[in-house]
Amino acid sequence: MNEKKKILIVEDEKNIANLLAFNLMQNGYDFDIASDGEMGLKKALAGDHDLILLDLMLPKMDGFEVCKKLREKKTTPVIIVTAREEEVDKILGFDIGADDYVTKPFSINVLMARIKANIRRYANEVIEKPTPEQSEEQKIVIRDMVIDPEKYLVTNKGTPISLTKKEYELLAYLASNRNKPFTREELLEQVWGYEDFYGDIRTVDVTIRRLREKLELDPSRPEYLMTKRGVGYYIS
Ligand code: CA
């Protein structure tokens, strides 16, 4: 089981690709490099990588496209490496299927912690998939909202709500601990799998905002996803 994990680096800037490769090696990972989007997608589809580090601005095919096309076939965890802060919203909002992101310039320690957390979480998901018998009784009903963990489905007044994976997981976590407020840090740890300060709390805020836009009648006056001043978020 102690087989080396293999990371695919999709990055056109040689310096960054080399820096990533060097640090992955130092941390006991194997790596593979693709220097444009087309090659990245090809390698990602053909290989058995444990995680993909994906740049957004790439020749031939951009990172958004690579991620979307990959998700049609595979669930390999993807961490987007982006140079631009303002793209964070786009990454989290569009359902391109990315699991996480870091912005350049990034700290190697943070990146390594994220890689580890994402690989670990992915491995747990595969193992912990509940059997249908176990999850039969687990539907969560809060007024007009129904969360069905078996189908990964959320409906509001009977209408299915289209959520990204993380939006779903955050909502389900809060709903199964109804009325209990969580800090952003706690949510990063419980829902995203990050420890200590390695996560970015804005990720939580953005995801909450998206959820409100999708679920609430009036997102500025939420009835489900509440803010507990000075603490964090909860579901009422
Ligand atoms: Ca680039």
Side-chain angles (χ1 to χ4, degrees):
M1 281 305 282
N2 267 335
E3 198 177 306
K4 272 190 182 180
K5 302 286 183 197
K6 193 170 176 188
I7 316 283
L8 174 62
I9 303 164
V10 188
E11 172 66 74
D12 60 320
E13 284 168 70
K14 273 218 166 69
N15 290 340
I16 296 179
N18 288 340
L19 175 78
L20 289 170
F22 174 78
N23 282 283
L24 287 172
M25 219 166 58
Q26 292 283 303
N27 283 273
Y29 295 101
D30 261 343
F31 64 89
D32 203 354
I33 297 180
S35 56
D36 67 62
E38 264 176 28
M39 181 59 71
L41 181 63
K42 206 172 143 197
K43 285 195 170 185
L45 289 174
D48 55 346
H49 305 99
D50 295 283
L51 185 136
I52 297 164
L53 291 175
L54 179 62
D55 182 28
L56 278 184
M57 303 285 276
L58 290 163
K60 293 188 184 168
M61 185 189 291
D62 73 21
F64 287 110
E65 203 58 33
V66 173
C67 199
K68 265 193 282 187
K69 289 222 158 77
L70 175 72
R71 279 291 173 265
E72 290 167 11
K73 304 246 165 70
K74 280 187 145 177
T75 55
T76 317
V78 172
I79 299 181
I80 302 261
V81 182
T82 170
R84 291 164 58 196
E85 288 269 325
E86 63 263 38
E87 281 172 339
V88 169
D89 234 49
K90 217 168 142 194
I91 296 164
L92 295 172
F94 276 142
D95 197 3
I96 58 167
D99 296 271
D100 201 359
Y101 69 91
V102 291
T103 46
K104 298 175 193 167
F106 48 81
S107 135
I108 284 293
N109 285 342
V110 168
L111 182 64
M112 290 302 146
R114 300 272 187 100
I115 289 172
K116 204 172 148 194
N118 275 283
I119 290 178
R120 190 184 51 213
R121 195 190 55 222
Y122 184 65
N124 288 342
E125 270 172 22
V126 175
I127 295 164
E128 285 172 8
K129 276 261 154 58
T131 63
E133 305 89 70
Q134 283 175 319
S135 58
E136 214 167 90
E137 300 293 320
Q138 288 176 354
K139 269 189 196 175
I140 304 168
V141 181
I142 299 176
R143 298 189 294 279
D144 293 330
M145 180 172 71
V146 179
I147 301 173
D148 183 347
E150 194 185 332
K151 294 182 186 140
Y152 262 72
L153 184 72
V154 177
T155 56
N156 195 2
K157 293 197 166 100
T159 309
I161 312 288
S162 168
L163 300 178
T164 66
K165 195 167 142 233
K166 272 288 155 280
E167 285 166 355
Y168 173 84
E169 286 169 3
L170 177 60
L171 183 69
Y173 184 75
L174 290 171
S176 55
N177 295 281
R178 198 173 166 185
N179 289 321
K180 179 175 169 8
F182 291 94
T183 65
R184 294 168 176 85
E185 288 81 4
E186 285 170 333
L187 293 171
L188 276 177
E189 199 177 319
Q190 294 302 322
V191 180
W192 276 264
Y194 298 144
E195 289 153 1
D196 306 327
F197 52 89
Y198 286 125
D200 179 347
I201 56 168
R202 284 175 310 168
T203 309
V204 179
D205 297 331
V206 172
T207 310
I208 289 279
R209 201 181 70 224
R210 299 273 175 191
L211 273 171
R212 280 177 177 157
E213 281 163 9
K214 290 178 179 183
L215 279 171
E216 304 282 358
L217 208 56
D218 178 358
S220 64
R221 309 178 73 162
E223 292 168 9
Y224 290 102
L225 285 156
M226 314 303 282
T227 302
K228 175 89 175 169
R229 212 169 278 278
V231 183
Y233 299 108
Y234 67 101
I235 284 195
S236 146

